[in-house]
Amino acid sequence: MALLIVLALAAPLYAGDPLNMDPFKRLQPPSAEMWFGSDHLGRDVFARTMFGARISLFVGLACSALTALGGLLIGVVAGYSRGFDNIIMRIMDGLMSIPTFLLAIALISLTGPGLSILIVAITIPDLPSVARLVRSVVLGVRERPYVEAALCGGARLPRVLWRHILPSTFPALMVQSASVCASAILTEAGLSFLGVGVPPEIPSWGNMIASSRLYLAVAPMTIFAPGICLAFTVLAVNLLGDGLRDLFDPRAKRRR
Amino acid sequence: MAVYVIRRLVSTIAIMAMVGIFIFLLLRLAPGDPAAVMAGRNADPQTIANIREQLGLNEPLPVQFIHWARDMLRGDFGTSIFSGWPVLELISQRVEPTVSLGVMTLILSVSVGVTFGILAAWGAGRVVDLALTAFSALGYSVPVFVVGYFFIYVFAIRTQWLPVQGYVSIEQGVGPWFVHLILPTVALSIPYVAYLARIARASMLEVLSEDYMRTAAAKGASSYAMLFHHGLKNAGAPILTAIGLSFAYLISGVVITETVFNVPGVGRLVVDAITSRDYPVIQGVLILVSGLYVLINLAVDLSYTLVDPRIRY
């Protein structure tokens, strides 16, 4: 995972120009000059793959940060105020019943493709699951003696929420964020593959696979290089999530 | 039981209404001018105005909603901007390939996934378990289109055992229909199998540590009887829930798989609608699929009693 981030950040330093086209070197097999060969416009697949990592990781991290923040806010409000709880959770139920992928497609088809709308489109459908999780933790914690003690001791509500309730949601939240991150990367790639994700001029793994699919028989590397990177990135994030869960919940580990 | 069913039905209707409101608001609250996006880059103002008119965007919001909800309840999902056909008709023409693919995937992944999960739980900590757990971690991470192109490359282009792409209607023969569905089904099933195996394993392990399992072992029950008779029966409910919830995953997978394998199903319809900016079609599919999703999860909830008679409402 750390290696991935370093590779992605350092891409401009070593990978060459991902947009540079060389019409004389179209669909080349891998060589010393271009490690993964070149695509149908003569662009260096290795460079594009490394730059694609930036998009994927950026979308994954942005989406998981946004859902964590939004979910935390909604979850704490729902968990702490009885009045809003019912309304908020019904809204979340409704949102949860719309399949993520189709919702994202519908949203983007209304606004046109773009990186920020893509992040919003992936974030919104993921909110309810995080909100639910936070809410359940808050519900469990708020009746604990130490919360009552803090309130009795004269601490004001925002301070109690911030100091005493929020920290207890972090373990579950981090595990959930890892899985949101993994699924955001997959969704981004899927949407880009269908042509509704990142605009085509930006090298992203989904875009690369989509634009190379006609050349599968001639230049399989143009599809498999980004594909394998994508799979390993998601795997790394998923394993990170599993690791976090084992760390925070030793009971689950013993059961495994 | 009857009270529970009624309460569950009422809440289902409430959720459906919520879903309806969301989908309604989606078009109205989208940033920018959706009509202009749909009309395309070089559209003249008249075309944009026509689209606004056709979508009913010129009226006040509550009036729009009443009209919209009335049409939806009547089963009128509007007409396609691109082809002028009623959306419902467009969708129903594309249902067969999608249902074929969906049902085949469901059969394959539930049978294989649950079997894998049980096997892994049975051999917990041993090689079987490690291999299956590694498979499911990997299978869960590989996107459908990557697996799809890999299969096409290996089984269709290199070895030419199976057709590359396309779909043959079941009316034209079960043989060709089946052969064309093999690759898409297997590709789509892999993440699904991985997910179900994971859930089935966890839920079986939970059950296997129960006291009655020790009793069953002590009285000399065979491991087959223990796993299936005592184990799976008790581990059934979480697995069933997982199957219902992962229907949403199946949908995104179907859209992508149909694109990879060029299957003319509902997923292709959506993808084509994206390129032609045909929002009514996308909206129609979104509504139908969301409704189906809610109903499936209702059915799952209600079927718990069948799996586990101890659950009484």
Side-chain angles (χ1 to χ4, degrees):
Chain A
M1 187 67 208
L3 179 71
L4 275 170
I5 293 176
V6 171
L7 278 179
L9 285 180
L13 298 180
Y14 63 86
D17 186 356
L19 299 177
N20 182 34
M21 294 182 211
D22 189 345
F24 297 109
K25 290 184 184 156
R26 292 168 54 193
L27 299 170
Q28 295 274 316
S31 63
E33 189 194 352
M34 289 189 269
W35 289 1
F36 292 168
S38 64
D39 70 1
H40 62 289
L41 295 175
R43 294 174 295 194
D44 181 353
V45 175
F46 177 72
R48 291 175 68 75
T49 305
M50 291 303 123
F51 272 90
R54 292 156 71 98
I55 298 292
S56 279
L57 290 176
F58 176 69
V59 170
L61 293 177
C63 288
S64 56
L66 278 177
T67 40
L69 219 66
L72 201 60
L73 201 72
I74 300 172
V76 166
V77 171
Y80 212 86
S81 70
R82 290 220 162 83
F84 284 124
D85 185 26
N86 230 321
I87 304 171
I88 293 179
M89 290 330 282
R90 290 299 81 73
I91 295 176
M92 291 294 130
D93 280 349
L95 201 51
M96 236 177 165
S97 306
I98 307 176
T100 312
F101 202 71
L102 283 180
L103 186 58
I105 287 180
L107 203 60
I108 292 170
S109 69
L110 284 176
T111 56
L115 193 56
S116 48
I117 190 69
L118 178 73
I119 291 172
V120 174
I122 299 175
T123 302
I124 291 178
D126 276 334
L127 276 178
S129 61
V130 179
R132 266 189 172 197
L133 187 82
V134 172
R135 170 178 172 269
S136 70
V137 176
V138 172
L139 280 180
V141 167
R142 72 168 193 191
E143 307 296 338
R144 291 280 180 80
Y146 63 82
V147 173
E148 270 175 40
L151 282 173
C152 290
R156 279 178 302 131
L157 189 61
R159 186 184 155 80
V160 173
L161 286 175
W162 181 250
R163 291 288 304 264
H164 301 278
I165 292 186
L166 274 190
S168 59
T169 62
F170 284 162
L173 195 63
M174 281 176 72
V175 174
Q176 183 76 10
S177 292
S179 93
V180 167
C181 181
S183 77
I185 292 175
L186 277 181
T187 311
E188 180 273 322
L191 289 171
S192 298
F193 171 69
L194 295 179
V196 273
V198 186
E201 59 272 17
I202 302 176
S204 101
W205 291 337
N207 283 344
M208 291 175 67
I209 295 174
S211 65
S212 305
R213 63 183 180 209
L214 295 174
Y215 312 98
L216 176 63
V218 201
M221 256 333 242
T222 54
I223 285 188
F224 294 139
I228 291 168
C229 288
L230 183 55
F232 274 105
T233 308
V234 178
L235 182 66
V237 178
N238 274 333
L239 291 180
L240 183 74
D242 285 356
L244 285 174
R245 194 187 51 220
D246 292 345
L247 192 68
F248 293 129
D249 185 7
R251 210 167 53 93
K253 189 172 188 176
R254 238 182 296 128
R255 239 189 281 132
R256 270 147 61 90
Chain B
M1 178 72 195
V3 176
Y4 174 79
V5 172
I6 291 168
R7 220 174 44 210
R8 196 65 187 73
L9 281 178
V10 171
S11 77
T12 301
I13 293 169
I15 288 179
M16 289 241 191
M18 210 70 222
V19 170
I21 293 173
F22 268 123
I23 295 175
F24 169 78
L25 287 179
L26 201 59
L27 174 59
R28 276 79 190 173
L29 297 184
D33 185 0
V37 174
M38 274 177 237
R41 212 158 272 170
N42 302 316
D44 55 302
Q46 187 55 41
T47 322
I48 298 177
N50 284 345
I51 291 177
R52 292 188 68 85
E53 185 66 35
Q54 196 185 340
L55 293 169
L57 288 176
N58 291 330
E59 287 163 89
L61 209 58
V63 180
Q64 280 186 39
F65 181 67
I66 292 170
H67 284 234
W68 185 85
R70 191 191 57 201
D71 286 349
M72 292 299 143
L73 288 175
R74 277 192 199 144
D76 175 4
F77 293 94
T79 49
S80 155
I81 292 177
F82 185 64
S83 67
W85 282 59
V87 169
L88 200 60
E89 203 159 317
L90 282 175
I91 296 176
S92 60
Q93 287 170 353
R94 303 291 196 99
V95 162
E96 191 209 293
T98 303
V99 170
S100 308
L101 180 59
V103 170
M104 293 260 288
T105 304
L106 208 61
I107 295 173
L108 181 70
S109 30
V110 171
S111 51
V112 176
V114 174
T115 315
F116 276 12
I118 294 172
L119 273 178
W122 169 70
R126 280 182 281 163
V127 182
V128 200
D129 181 31
L130 289 179
L132 289 175
T133 309
F135 164 80
S136 69
L138 197 63
Y140 199 55
S141 308
V142 184
V144 176
F145 47 95
V146 175
V147 182
Y149 283 122
F150 179 72
F151 281 175
I152 292 182
Y153 186 68
V154 173
F155 295 107
I157 293 180
R158 271 292 151 96
T159 60
Q160 310 203 325
W161 287 338
L162 292 165
V164 176
Q165 287 176 324
Y167 175 79
V168 175
S169 170
I170 197 165
E171 287 162 10
Q172 293 169 331
V174 176
W177 171 80
F178 186 74
V179 169
H180 278 87
L181 275 178
I182 294 177
L183 285 185
T185 303
V186 176
L188 181 53
S189 295
I190 285 181
Y192 209 35
V193 165
Y195 173 69
L196 289 178
R198 212 178 159 134
I199 303 284
R201 176 179 178 276
S203 138
M204 274 301 273
L205 277 183
E206 196 111 323
V207 172
L208 288 179
S209 64
E210 298 277 353
D211 288 342
Y212 55 76
M213 292 308 287
R214 200 175 342 128
T215 315
K219 80 177 166 92
S222 65
S223 48
Y224 173 82
M226 273 185 57
L227 282 176
F228 288 89
H229 192 74
H230 300 272
L232 189 57
K233 262 189 169 176
N234 287 303
I239 299 176
L240 211 59
T241 314
I243 294 172
L245 289 177
S246 54
F247 179 72
Y249 156 73
L250 194 62
I251 293 161
S252 73
V254 163
V255 176
I256 294 176
T257 311
E258 287 185 353
T259 308
V260 172
F261 291 95
N262 216 356
V263 176
V266 178
R268 268 308 303 176
L269 183 69
V270 171
V271 175
D272 292 343
I274 299 170
T275 13
S276 56
R277 302 194 185 78
D278 203 344
Y279 186 69
V281 174
I282 298 178
Q283 176 183 258
V285 175
L286 188 60
I287 291 173
L288 285 179
V289 170
S290 307
L292 193 63
Y293 182 47
V294 175
L295 287 182
I296 286 179
N297 282 308
L298 173 71
V300 166
D301 269 11
L302 294 179
S303 63
Y304 284 155
T305 33
L306 298 179
V307 182
D308 190 344
R310 284 171 309 180
I311 299 178
R312 294 241 175 272
Y313 301 109

